[in-house]
Coordinates of all heavy atoms in Angstrom, one line a residue:
I1442 N 27.9 -2.4 -1.1 CA 27.4 -1.7 0.1 C 28.3 -1.8 1.3 O 28.3 -0.9 2.1 CB 26.0 -2.3 0.4 CG1 25.3 -1.5 1.5 CG2 26.1 -3.8 0.8 CD1 24.8 -0.2 1.0
L1443 N 29.0 -2.9 1.5 CA 29.8 -3.1 2.7 C 30.9 -2.0 2.8 O 31.3 -1.6 3.9 CB 30.5 -4.4 2.7 CG 29.5 -5.6 2.9 CD1 30.3 -6.9 3.0 CD2 28.7 -5.5 4.2
A1444 N 31.4 -1.5 1.7 CA 32.4 -0.4 1.7 C 31.9 0.9 2.4 O 32.7 1.7 2.8 CB 32.9 -0.2 0.3
Y1445 N 30.6 1.0 2.5 CA 30.0 2.3 3.0 C 29.4 2.1 4.4 O 28.7 2.9 4.9 CB 28.9 2.8 2.1 CG 29.6 3.2 0.7 CD1 29.8 2.3 -0.3 CD2 30.0 4.5 0.6 CE1 30.4 2.7 -1.5 CE2 30.6 4.9 -0.6 CZ 30.8 4.0 -1.6 OH 31.4 4.4 -2.8
L1446 N 29.7 0.9 5.0 CA 29.2 0.6 6.4 C 30.4 0.5 7.3 O 31.6 0.4 6.9 CB 28.5 -0.7 6.4 CG 27.1 -0.7 5.6 CD1 26.6 -2.2 5.4 CD2 26.1 0.1 6.5
P1447 N 30.2 0.7 8.6 CA 31.2 0.6 9.6 C 32.0 -0.7 9.5 O 31.6 -1.7 9.0 CB 30.5 0.7 11.0 CG 29.2 1.5 10.6 CD 28.9 1.0 9.3
K1448 N 33.3 -0.7 10.1 CA 34.2 -1.8 9.9 C 33.6 -3.1 10.5 O 34.0 -4.2 10.1 CB 35.5 -1.5 10.5 CG 35.5 -1.2 12.0 CD 36.9 -0.8 12.5 CE 36.9 -0.5 14.0 NZ 38.2 -0.1 14.5
E1449 N 32.8 -3.0 11.5 CA 32.2 -4.2 12.1 C 31.3 -5.0 11.1 O 31.0 -6.2 11.4 CB 31.4 -3.9 13.4 CG 30.3 -3.0 13.2 CD 30.7 -1.6 13.6 OE1 31.9 -1.2 13.4 OE2 29.8 -0.8 14.1
Y1450 N 31.0 -4.4 10.0 CA 30.2 -5.1 9.0 C 31.1 -5.9 8.0 O 30.5 -6.6 7.1 CB 29.3 -4.1 8.2 CG 28.1 -3.6 9.0 CD1 28.3 -2.6 10.0 CD2 26.9 -4.2 8.9 CE1 27.3 -2.1 10.7 CE2 25.8 -3.8 9.7 CZ 26.0 -2.7 10.6 OH 24.9 -2.3 11.4
R1451 N 32.4 -5.7 8.0 CA 33.3 -6.4 7.1 C 33.1 -7.9 7.3 O 33.1 -8.4 8.4 CB 34.7 -6.0 7.4 CG 35.0 -4.5 7.2 CD 34.8 -4.0 5.8 NE 35.2 -2.6 5.6 CZ 34.4 -1.6 5.7 NH1 33.1 -1.8 6.0 NH2 34.8 -0.4 5.6
G1452 N 32.9 -8.6 6.2 CA 32.7 -10.0 6.3 C 31.3 -10.4 6.4 O 31.0 -11.6 6.4
A1453 N 30.4 -9.5 6.6 CA 28.9 -9.8 6.7 C 28.4 -10.3 5.4 O 29.0 -10.1 4.3 CB 28.1 -8.6 7.1
I1473 N 21.7 -7.6 5.4 CA 23.1 -7.7 5.7 C 23.2 -8.4 7.0 O 22.8 -7.9 8.1 CB 23.8 -6.3 5.8 CG1 23.6 -5.6 4.4 CG2 25.3 -6.5 6.1 CD1 24.0 -4.1 4.5
R1475 N 25.3 -10.2 10.0 CA 26.5 -10.3 10.7 C 26.5 -11.6 11.5 O 25.4 -12.2 11.7 CB 26.8 -9.1 11.5 CG 27.1 -7.9 10.7 CD 27.4 -6.7 11.7 NE 26.2 -6.2 12.3 CZ 26.1 -5.3 13.3 NH1 27.3 -4.9 13.8 NH2 25.0 -4.9 13.8
R1504 N 26.1 5.2 -0.4 CA 26.2 5.9 0.9 C 24.8 6.1 1.4 O 24.6 6.0 2.7 CB 26.9 7.2 0.7 CG 27.3 7.8 2.0 CD 28.2 9.1 1.8 NE 29.5 8.7 1.3 CZ 29.9 9.0 0.0 NH1 29.0 9.6 -0.8 NH2 31.1 8.7 -0.4
A1507 N 23.3 2.8 2.6 CA 24.0 2.3 3.8 C 23.5 3.1 5.0 O 23.2 2.5 6.1 CB 25.5 2.5 3.6
A1508 N 23.3 4.4 4.9 CA 22.9 5.2 6.0 C 21.4 4.8 6.4 O 21.1 4.6 7.6 CB 22.9 6.7 5.7
Y1510 N 20.1 1.9 5.9 CA 20.2 0.5 6.5 C 20.5 0.6 8.0 O 20.0 -0.1 8.8 CB 21.2 -0.3 5.7 CG 21.0 -1.8 6.1 CD1 20.2 -2.6 5.4 CD2 21.8 -2.3 7.2 CE1 20.1 -4.0 5.8 CE2 21.6 -3.6 7.6 CZ 20.8 -4.5 6.9 OH 20.6 -5.8 7.3
L1511 N 21.5 1.4 8.3 CA 21.9 1.6 9.7 C 20.7 2.1 10.6 O 20.5 1.6 11.7 CB 23.1 2.5 9.8 CG 24.4 2.0 9.2 CD1 25.5 3.1 9.3 CD2 24.9 0.7 10.0
T1512 N 20.0 3.0 10.0 CA 18.8 3.5 10.7 C 17.8 2.4 10.9 O 17.2 2.3 12.0 CB 18.1 4.7 9.9 OG1 19.1 5.7 9.8 CG2 16.9 5.2 10.6
E1514 N 18.3 -0.8 11.0 CA 18.8 -1.8 11.9 C 18.7 -1.3 13.4 O 18.5 -2.1 14.3 CB 20.3 -2.1 11.6 CG 20.8 -3.3 12.4 CD 22.1 -3.8 11.8 OE1 23.1 -3.1 12.0 OE2 22.2 -4.9 11.3

Side-chain angles (χ1 to χ4, degrees):
I1442 190 71
L1443 291 182
Y1445 294 86
L1446 290 166
K1448 61 182 180 180
E1449 57 264 30
Y1450 287 83
R1451 301 296 185 265
I1473 303 169
R1475 292 182 285 168
R1504 189 176 294 109
Y1510 191 90
L1511 291 174
T1512 299
E1514 191 168 67

